[in-house]
Amino acid sequence: MSINAISRFIANQLSYPEGKPGIDVGNKINMLNKIITNQTTEKLCPQKDESIFEIGPGNGSLSLPILNSLGDDRHYLGIKISEIVADEI
């Protein structure tokens, strides 16, 4: 497989993950984004009476710190276009 073909494959998986490679890409992105997610959650400082709307939550694992801070009576909506990744949530 040429470098151009590999680059296109990766770009496609990042924009619209599909199949096992899409799940693998999502898991690697989650691992790399852990620091950013923790800092974002800290700065966002979600409160129990707030609602959160997230566009592109991936497989949801990065959303868990935000959801946990909202407590049991949380209001959260995440919109995802990739069915394979949405099924992982």
Side-chain angles (χ1 to χ4, degrees):
M1 191 181 270
S2 72
I3 297 223
N4 284 340
I6 292 170
S7 296
R8 279 193 305 275
F9 175 77
I10 292 171
N12 287 337
Q13 288 298 335
L14 290 172
S15 65
Y16 191 85
E18 294 182 290
K20 172 100 170 74
I23 293 169
D24 292 342
V25 166
N27 288 334
K28 288 179 181 156
I29 289 171
N30 288 342
M31 190 173 63
L32 294 171
N33 284 338
K34 201 164 214 127
I35 293 170
I36 294 168
T37 300
N38 290 339
Q39 290 176 350
T40 300
T41 303
E42 183 180 307
K43 300 254 189 254
L44 184 62
C45 192
Q47 303 297 310
K48 292 184 189 269
D49 60 345
E50 291 182 321
S51 298
I52 302 289
F53 175 66
E54 183 175 15
I55 299 171
N59 64 10
S61 67
L62 300 177
S63 307
L64 290 175
I66 294 170
L67 288 172
N68 290 336
S69 67
L70 293 174
D72 293 335
D73 197 24
R74 57 186 165 233
H75 300 281
Y76 170 88
L77 176 63
I79 302 296
K80 185 69 186 165
I81 61 170
S82 171
E83 291 177 25
I84 191 77
V85 175
D87 289 344
E88 291 291 300
I89 296 177

